[in-house]
Amino acid sequence: MTLSEQPLHEQLVQALQKQIRTRMSPHERLPGEREIADQYRVSRNTVRSALSKLEMMGLVYRRRGRGTFVANDTSESTDLAGMYSFTEEMTALGRHPRSEIVYLHEQPATEYLSEHLGVDVGTPTYKMKRVRLADGVPLMVERTFMPADRFPRLSAAEIERTSLYATLRDRYGSPVINASESFYASLMPDKDAELLGVPLGSPSLNIKRTSISLNREVIEYTLSVGRADQFVYTVRHHPVRTQNN
């Protein structure tokens, strides 16, 4: 197969974009650089430039040592009108969610945690760091803080086996009934980039979440760093029509 028009870089971008949208599925691996170069009779430098452009467009993502993969599209978006749950969201998309806990330990609440958890400074709190995966692909790093006295002997193994929310609900009788979340874009910290297997300085989507229990107490404050190439969010607005419209 050849590309009939110049510039080759843009023509290859269009050809690969059509291939992705018509014949490939999210998270499917693209052919290697050499195979693409042979298929379209272009140089590998042209292939690299085209793949970089597709990555910038959000159509593909790369994993070091693994190759280039098709990114999510808007048909796999998360509706921000509802409370976000990684486990439920990945399951709904037909993907297998899994968590790997890096650590779970107690520490005294700082002024920052005191403000966000509604506890006194020095109160024992849990700090948990975990990597969230779907189909074995690491997507997000989460740092979660919780009042330790409300969840004695919290088990990392149980959280990995089920989920945090299921553990809070079933073992401690503290289901999450409400949560507030804020989202913002940033550059991924180096340590998180290493855990997620992406290049240093990769873009990230960050989430701050405060979860509320039945008795209206804060039971979770979480800071999440997600791969920007793996998450597409949809916000639906329902404006109220008035006579002044």
Side-chain angles (χ1 to χ4, degrees):
M1 182 181 298
T2 60
L3 301 176
S4 58
E5 300 178 8
Q6 295 292 335
L8 285 177
H9 162 261
E10 291 298 334
Q11 288 296 311
L12 182 56
V13 168
Q14 293 177 16
L16 292 175
Q17 186 175 359
K18 180 178 179 180
Q19 177 180 337
I20 288 169
R21 289 180 171 172
T22 60
R23 302 199 300 272
M24 302 187 74
S25 303
H27 316 297
E28 183 177 345
R29 187 180 182 278
L30 272 70
E33 289 181 2
R34 184 183 299 277
E35 184 177 347
I36 294 175
D38 291 344
Q39 180 182 1
Y40 291 99
R41 299 182 183 178
V42 297
S43 69
R44 293 185 68 175
N45 284 337
T46 299
V47 174
R48 293 189 189 101
S49 296
L51 292 177
S52 295
K53 180 68 175 295
L54 292 171
E55 185 176 22
M56 183 182 67
M57 295 166 64
L59 295 178
V60 302
Y61 64 93
R62 305 189 198 192
R63 295 190 65 195
R64 284 182 293 182
R66 297 286 301 277
T68 303
F69 299 80
V70 178
N72 280 342
D73 58 24
T74 54
S75 68
E76 282 197 326
S77 62
T78 297
D79 185 357
L80 294 186
M83 187 177 68
Y84 180 77
S85 165
F86 180 89
T87 300
E88 293 180 2
E89 194 65 38
M90 293 300 108
T91 301
L93 294 175
R95 306 184 69 182
H96 176 66
R98 182 166 60 88
S99 295
E100 293 181 355
I101 295 181
V102 180
Y103 58 72
L104 171 63
H105 59 240
E106 287 190 27
Q107 65 177 39
T110 60
E111 290 187 6
Y112 177 81
L113 291 179
S114 171
E115 176 184 351
H116 288 281
L117 290 176
V119 298
D120 295 332
V121 173
T123 299
T125 60
Y126 288 119
K127 180 180 180 181
M128 177 174 64
K129 180 178 180 180
R130 55 182 172 166
V131 179
R132 315 301 299 273
L133 305 94
D135 298 331
V137 178
L139 304 184
M140 181 180 289
V141 177
E142 289 190 341
R143 294 166 177 85
T144 297
F145 305 89
M146 294 173 290
D149 61 343
R150 299 176 195 169
F151 311 108
R153 296 181 297 281
L154 186 64
S155 167
E158 184 173 3
I159 294 172
E160 286 186 334
R161 187 172 60 254
T162 56
S163 72
L164 175 61
Y165 286 176
T167 299
L168 298 184
R169 181 192 66 228
D170 299 337
R171 182 178 177 188
Y172 297 98
S174 294
V176 173
I177 64 166
N178 194 10
S180 61
E181 297 175 326
S182 59
F183 297 76
Y184 63 96
S186 183
L187 294 180
M188 192 173 296
D190 289 352
K191 290 184 178 180
D192 292 346
E194 293 174 1
L195 284 172
L196 296 178
V198 298
L200 301 183
S202 293
S204 65
L205 180 66
N206 296 12
I207 307 171
K208 293 183 179 180
R209 179 173 62 251
T210 302
S211 301
I212 309 299
S213 68
L214 281 170
N215 57 4
R216 304 297 176 180
E217 292 180 327
V218 176
I219 59 174
E220 174 211 11
Y221 176 62
T222 293
L223 305 173
S224 302
V225 177
R227 290 175 51 171
D229 62 357
Q230 287 286 312
F231 291 92
V232 178
Y233 292 91
T234 298
V235 179
R236 295 184 175 88
H237 297 283
H238 304 282
V240 177
R241 296 184 178 274
T242 67
Q243 294 179 349
N244 296 326
N245 283 352

